[in-house]
Amino acid sequence: MTQRAQPPLDSEIESELDAHREAHLAAPADSQVAAAHRAGTAVRGVTGAIRDTHGAVASKVFASARRTVGPVVTPVEFAHDHIARAAYGASAVALEGVAEAVGATAAKAAQAGRTSKFGRGTTRRASGVLAFVHGFNGDKMASSGRMPLSSPMSLRRSGERVPATADGLARAYPDATPQIVIFVHGFVGTEQMWKRHAHRDDDGRRLSYGRRLEAHGDWSALWVRYNTGLRIKSNGLELALLIEQVVDHWPVPVERVVLVGHSMGGLVASSALLQWPTSSTWGPLVSDLITLGTPYHGSPIEQGANYLAEFFSGYGATRWLGDVIQFRSEGIKDLRPGNLFLADTRGAMPDAAEWRQALAPQMVVRHLAVAGVLTKDPHARLGGIIGDGIVPRASARAGADNDLSRSTMMGSMSHNDLVNDPRVYEVIADVLGVQA
């Protein structure tokens, strides 16, 4: 019998939020040096996994050879192990050193007020690589002894970090409006993903959903960047704290908040709402949640990876392969059941409709779930199976429609198309009351 999970109590949420507030105060500024340290640590982890895989395969080869030709193989095996151990160790140290050196040089240039000679495009690519590393190894990076904290979730605008302080928000939003829309990216992404295949305005800026809403409506758009390798529950708490800071320090009184999340970002936004403590002021300001291709009923890809990990781990000859697959982050594993706020996934499967109903006594939030479907006819049977290529149609729709929850399906729409497509923008603009 599958166990149903219950939302955490307010006292539990307050305790965890306090811990996150303290962590934010203790954490260093988001710098390129810190990013380089985290990248180096991740390189060590990946190199270690490759080393262990190599070792497991080599052991099997030498064992087979020993059965065939006898103990004469032993000196060769000893020499191989010694050389491989030294090579992998040197590679990990060298790669980590290069990452740190590049990060330190970039940081010094930034502190001196100089523009990187590599240009903004290279900075975006570097951020994308780091986001990829975060997605698969971010939980280990955050808990490592050397880097006890990964960078906290932060606001971004034009690629730059925006402090969630009165001065920082006032500088970034000189024309701040009482209505704010917050965009939460998906797995291994950054805020730059919202500009995918975007047209440019007269000033050369790529037009994302947020930029269009700012240009045509009385809205201010905010984008977050976060470590997608962390548990969804942890990122949900981070988002709750960040929204609290924004509302408290926004240049003008906030009247309305709308959250837009793509894929994992929709789970993070949902988790923030479900973990909202009644003592916070921002909860009643949230009117709408819009999710795009969010796997509320779990991701088949992660479900398949978990099955393979358990299958290979059950046999001595393939246990090493199971260990390699298990190396993936807890953030990825949370995608298996669409975990919103649990500390782990054992014995619990989500029911998004039930969990949203738990909000009713304290918060009234309308939810629009947008499901992409690769087939031209979004209602086709095949479309229901393949969905947007990543998330099945039923998983993205998140349950039956009701007064507070509705869904819409879009044919000929892939998972990544959802982050910047005219049809999706029209739906978002309609919810926000903006002329598309």
Side-chain angles (χ1 to χ4, degrees), residues 124-136:
R124 284 198 298 268
R125 286 192 291 272
S127 297
V129 171
L130 184 59
F132 186 86
V133 173
H134 269 159
F136 287 91

Side-chain angles (χ1 to χ4, degrees), residues 51-263:
R51 177 201 60 213
D52 294 342
T53 301
H54 178 180
V57 174
S59 295
K60 297 180 187 306
V61 172
F62 282 117
S64 177
R66 188 176 293 106
R67 288 193 296 270
T68 303
V69 301
V72 69
V73 173
T74 300
V76 179
E77 182 180 12
F78 177 81
H80 166 272
D81 291 348
H82 181 75
I83 294 171
R85 187 162 49 248
Y88 279 115
S91 297
V93 172
L95 288 170
E96 185 176 10
V98 169
E100 293 181 7
V102 171
T105 301
K108 289 179 180 179
Q111 291 167 359
R114 297 194 298 270
T115 302
S116 171
K117 67 180 181 180
F118 301 108
R120 184 179 292 272
T122 301
T123 302
R124 284 198 298 268
R125 286 192 291 272
S127 297
V129 171
L130 184 59
F132 186 86
V133 173
H134 269 159
F136 287 91
N137 202 36
D139 57 332
K140 302 171 186 65
M141 293 159 64
S143 61
S144 67
R146 182 174 180 184
M147 290 298 297
L149 289 171
S150 63
S151 295
M153 180 182 290
S154 60
L155 295 176
R156 301 280 168 162
R157 190 170 180 86
S158 298
E160 302 296 328
R161 182 174 179 272
V162 178
T165 62
D167 290 342
L169 294 170
R171 285 195 300 269
Y173 294 89
D175 300 319
T177 67
Q179 302 183 115
I180 61 177
V181 53
I182 302 174
F183 292 89
V184 189
H185 64 74
F187 178 62
V188 298
T190 71
E191 76 289 346
Q192 297 295 327
M193 67 181 294
W194 297 102
K195 300 178 181 179
R196 183 177 184 267
H197 296 162
H199 298 293
R200 296 184 181 272
D201 62 12
D202 294 337
D203 296 324
R205 297 178 304 185
R206 291 187 293 171
L207 290 172
S208 62
Y209 296 146
R211 291 292 188 183
R212 293 188 179 191
L213 292 169
E214 288 183 332
H216 299 104
D218 189 24
W219 287 87
S220 295
L222 294 83
W223 296 266
V224 301
R225 181 186 295 184
Y226 66 100
N227 179 348
T228 60
L230 297 181
R231 301 219 77 111
I232 289 173
K233 171 189 176 181
S234 298
N235 278 320
L237 281 170
E238 289 274 356
L239 182 58
L241 175 59
L242 186 60
I243 298 173
E244 179 184 84
Q245 294 172 327
V246 169
V247 170
D248 288 346
H249 299 121
W250 194 243
V252 298
V254 177
E255 297 176 359
R256 184 182 176 190
V257 178
V258 172
L259 302 178
V260 180
H262 174 251
S263 196

Side-chain angles (χ1 to χ4, degrees), residues 235-316:
N235 278 320
L237 281 170
E238 289 274 356
L239 182 58
L241 175 59
L242 186 60
I243 298 173
E244 179 184 84
Q245 294 172 327
V246 169
V247 170
D248 288 346
H249 299 121
W250 194 243
V252 298
V254 177
E255 297 176 359
R256 184 182 176 190
V257 178
V258 172
L259 302 178
V260 180
H262 174 251
S263 196
M264 176 188 277
L267 295 178
V268 171
S270 298
S271 181
L273 294 177
L274 287 164
Q275 297 183 84
W276 166 75
T278 55
S279 61
S280 297
T281 58
W282 63 267
L285 300 176
V286 181
S287 64
D288 296 270
L289 167 66
I290 303 173
T291 56
L292 314 174
T294 292
Y296 278 101
H297 297 162
S299 166
I301 295 178
E302 165 53 21
Q303 291 164 357
N306 182 70
Y307 172 80
L308 290 176
E310 293 182 349
F311 175 81
F312 288 128
S313 296
Y315 299 91

